[in-house]
Amino acid sequence: MPATAAKTVFDDVETLKRELIRCMKCGNCMSACPIYNVEKKESSVARGKIALGEAILDDKINIDDEILVKLIFNCLVCKSCMMACPSGVRFDRIILGLRAAIARKKGIPFVKKALFGLLKNPELFDKGMKAFAAMQGFFLTKEGEKARAPRGFLRQFGKRFDKDFVLPELSKESFRDRVSEVIDVENSQATAVFFTGCSVNYFYPDVGEDLLFVLRKNKVKSITPKQQNCCGMPVMVHGDIETARELAKKNLDIFEKTAGQYIVTVCGSCGSALKHEYPIILEGTEYEEKAKKWAERVYDISTFLLKVIKFEPPKGKVELKVTYHDSCHLKKSMKVFNEPRQLLKMIPGVTLVEMKKPDACCGSGGSYHLTHADTALKIAKAKVEDIKATGADAVCTGCPACMMELFEGLHRWQGDCKVLHTVNLLAQAYKKEEG
């Protein structure tokens, strides 16, 4: 175990067992779990996985069983089950604790270990992403504006890489290379550190640029640290807690060097990692107090605009019928769901229409949509049908990973609807106002 005195669910079997016994096996999680709704198997839902976890930790089932490992990894970590649990069981901690136990026993698979190792070296990771962006034409064909599809030889690497798969084009110039590290404004009312996350940096630089524009319009000085690291969530969900700790410490050291009062995010998963996961994985370490201090200063952009600073609503008109998709980590972890809707309603010309199940998972789950293509596609299709039924011109959300999944789903099932981040629309309205 690393330099930590705490016995967290990620490090200690007995602590994990105490979390497991809080489940009273009522099965309320079945109605909320997107995977159970598709697969209809007890092993798909939280209650079933908790039973498997108890058997693993009591040595009744061999943790080396590959089928068992697959069952434990068949979870989106969307936290929907926790919204339905009357006992307040923290299933996110349980499932990540079980995966960490598997990683301790079996080790991290070679390919994952190599990828996670890149994340620990931001300069090398950055060079790798830029090299891939420059060569993406070899692997991916153009599929309309700013979209790419895998070439035929890539289809052998996964069922999801079929003829209908698309993804946003990788930007040849990353967002953090495009912008100044510090953008000052006259008579600023606050200073915010922008934690970009990897998706905005490489796939959605327009979201980052619009965020900085919205901050400037509201007289907020921004700091975008060039050397910030991955938030660590992608490695945590694969059980690699040590790499997650290392990334968290590096990010906290970077925050300490800024003069930022707040941290602003545009990604539910990044925000959730910084606000809720860092204080837990760093409990008992020399970084515990630092993690708690910065966690209190982390805000999604919608909360920051409406509850932290004096917000100046845009006056420019954007004629658009919009529906809103709740990112799982933004709503179920960050508890942010009213604020984005409030912002959309404040944009002149925007009509907000709710879809049938706005907080139903889109099926992304980080890499889940690639590793569990059949189930993820069924979940995504239901989401796309709900979006199409609204007749909206655009679907807004607060998470770049959801944006990717919705973008692909709408392409796959012929949805005539744009995918936007809430800050994209806010920026549009401010630009209309400027004329």
Side-chain angles (χ1 to χ4, degrees):
M1 206 159 81
T4 171
K7 292 183 176 180
T8 73
V9 292
F10 309 117
D11 306 292
D12 181 65
V13 168
E14 293 305 317
T15 308
L16 182 53
K17 280 182 178 177
R18 286 196 291 276
E19 193 67 35
L20 287 167
I21 60 174
R22 295 176 63 195
C23 174
M24 60 183 188
K25 311 292 190 293
C26 67
N28 277 10
C29 48
M30 296 165 81
S31 63
C33 177
I35 297 174
Y36 181 80
N37 286 340
V38 169
E39 298 181 353
K40 306 296 183 194
K41 295 188 293 191
E42 180 71 13
S43 61
S44 306
V45 77
R47 183 178 66 179
K49 291 187 178 72
I50 286 174
L52 286 172
E54 289 170 339
I56 291 170
L57 299 182
D58 290 337
D59 291 326
K60 293 177 181 173
I61 301 179
N62 189 343
I63 203 169
D64 291 327
D65 188 327
E66 284 302 320
I67 294 175
L68 177 69
V69 172
K70 285 180 181 176
L71 291 175
I72 295 297
F73 277 84
N74 186 20
C75 174
L76 287 149
V77 200
C78 68
K79 313 190 183 200
S80 299
C81 54
M82 290 160 53
M83 304 288 281
C85 179
S87 303
V89 175
R90 293 301 311 260
F91 184 70
D92 56 344
R93 305 275 156 78
I94 290 173
I95 196 70
L96 297 185
L98 287 170
R99 291 177 183 181
I102 291 171
R104 279 197 304 277
K105 181 77 184 295
K106 294 170 64 69
I108 304 290
F110 175 77
V111 174
K112 288 183 184 178
K113 196 170 184 177
L115 289 172
F116 299 165
L118 267 181
L119 290 177
K120 290 191 288 188
N121 187 331
E123 288 183 10
L124 194 58
F125 179 65
D126 188 59
K127 285 178 182 173
M129 291 300 288
K130 286 173 182 169
F132 187 78
M135 298 188 299
Q136 60 188 316
F138 178 74
F139 301 98
L140 309 164
T141 61
K142 279 268 190 187
E143 189 72 23
E145 189 182 1
K146 294 184 179 180
R148 294 274 180 167
R151 293 190 183 275
F153 70 89
L154 284 180
R155 290 179 190 150
Q156 62 182 307
F157 292 104
K159 194 169 183 178
R160 192 67 183 254
F161 296 131
D162 62 14
K163 62 180 178 55
D164 296 317
F165 183 83
V166 292
L167 74 165
E169 191 168 62
L170 261 172
S171 175
K172 289 178 181 171
E173 185 180 22
S174 73
F175 166 71
R176 295 198 290 267
D177 279 353
R178 292 184 185 196
V179 300
S180 300
E181 186 154 327
V182 178
I183 299 178
D184 215 342
V185 293
E186 285 187 16
N187 303 316
S188 67
Q189 58 170 323
T191 302
V193 176
F194 178 28
F195 188 83
T196 68
C198 301
S199 299
V200 165
N201 196 37
Y202 298 108
F203 286 101
Y204 291 112
D206 61 306
V207 172
E209 288 169 344
D210 284 346
L211 177 282
L212 294 181
F213 183 71
V214 169
L215 290 179
R216 282 201 304 277
K217 293 297 291 184
N218 284 278
K219 295 191 179 302
V220 175
K221 177 182 175 181
S222 62
I223 302 170
T224 308
K226 300 282 186 188
Q227 296 303 315
Q228 56 185 277
N229 296 263
C230 166
C231 68
M233 189 66 90
V235 297
M236 273 190 76
V237 299
H238 288 278
D240 189 353
I241 301 300
E242 293 319 310
T243 298
R245 282 194 175 104
E246 192 172 329
L247 293 170
K249 290 177 180 178
K250 286 180 177 179
N251 281 325
L252 290 169
D253 285 340
I254 288 170
F255 299 155
E256 287 287 320
K257 292 176 184 171
T258 71
Q261 297 169 275
Y262 308 98
I263 297 174
V264 172
T265 64
V266 286
C267 171
S269 296
C270 291
S272 179
L274 269 55
K275 195 169 188 69
H276 300 293
E277 312 304 340
Y278 282 13
I280 294 167
I281 62 174
L282 296 175
E283 186 180 347
T285 73
E286 70 277 20
Y287 280 77
E288 180 176 354
E289 292 307 314
K290 209 181 282 186
K292 288 178 181 175
K293 180 184 81 173
W294 285 102
E296 292 175 357
R297 303 179 185 187
V298 174
Y299 293 94
D300 176 69
I301 180 60
S302 60
T303 311
F304 181 73
L305 293 174
L306 291 176
K307 295 185 175 177
V308 178
I309 63 166
K310 184 181 178 186
F311 175 59
E312 185 65 37
K315 297 183 179 67
K317 197 169 187 179
V318 180
E319 294 281 3
L320 212 59
K321 186 177 177 183
V322 174
T323 190
Y324 184 78
H325 162 69
D326 287 291
S327 142
C328 289
H329 288 176
L330 189 56
K331 178 174 182 180
K332 295 156 194 170
S333 184
M334 298 278 282
K335 310 299 180 192
V336 175
F337 49 97
N338 282 326
E339 295 93 329
R341 289 174 169 82
Q342 283 178 256
L343 287 174
L344 291 172
K345 288 175 182 174
M346 293 166 86
I347 299 173
V350 165
T351 303
L352 177 64
V353 290
E354 292 289 357
M355 68 180 85
K356 190 176 174 186
K357 296 178 182 175
D359 64 352
C361 180
C362 66
S364 171
S367 59
Y368 184 91
H369 71 139
L370 299 176
T371 56
H372 297 76
D374 288 337
T375 300
L377 281 170
K378 288 174 183 172
I379 295 170
K381 188 175 184 183
K383 172 59 69 175
V384 168
E385 293 304 322
D386 285 350
I387 293 170
K388 287 165 67 175
T390 66
D393 306 306
V395 54
C396 273
T397 188
C399 181
C402 295
M403 289 175 71
M404 285 189 203
E405 188 73 0
L406 298 176
F407 175 71
E408 197 232 327
L410 287 162
H411 172 85
R412 184 180 288 272
W413 293 294
Q414 294 84 45
D416 185 18
C417 184
K418 294 178 184 174
V419 181
L420 299 170
H421 195 286
T422 308
V423 296
N424 289 140
L425 269 184
L426 276 175
Q428 276 188 42
Y430 283 121
K431 288 170 185 171
K432 286 275 181 75
E433 180 182 326
E434 290 183 348

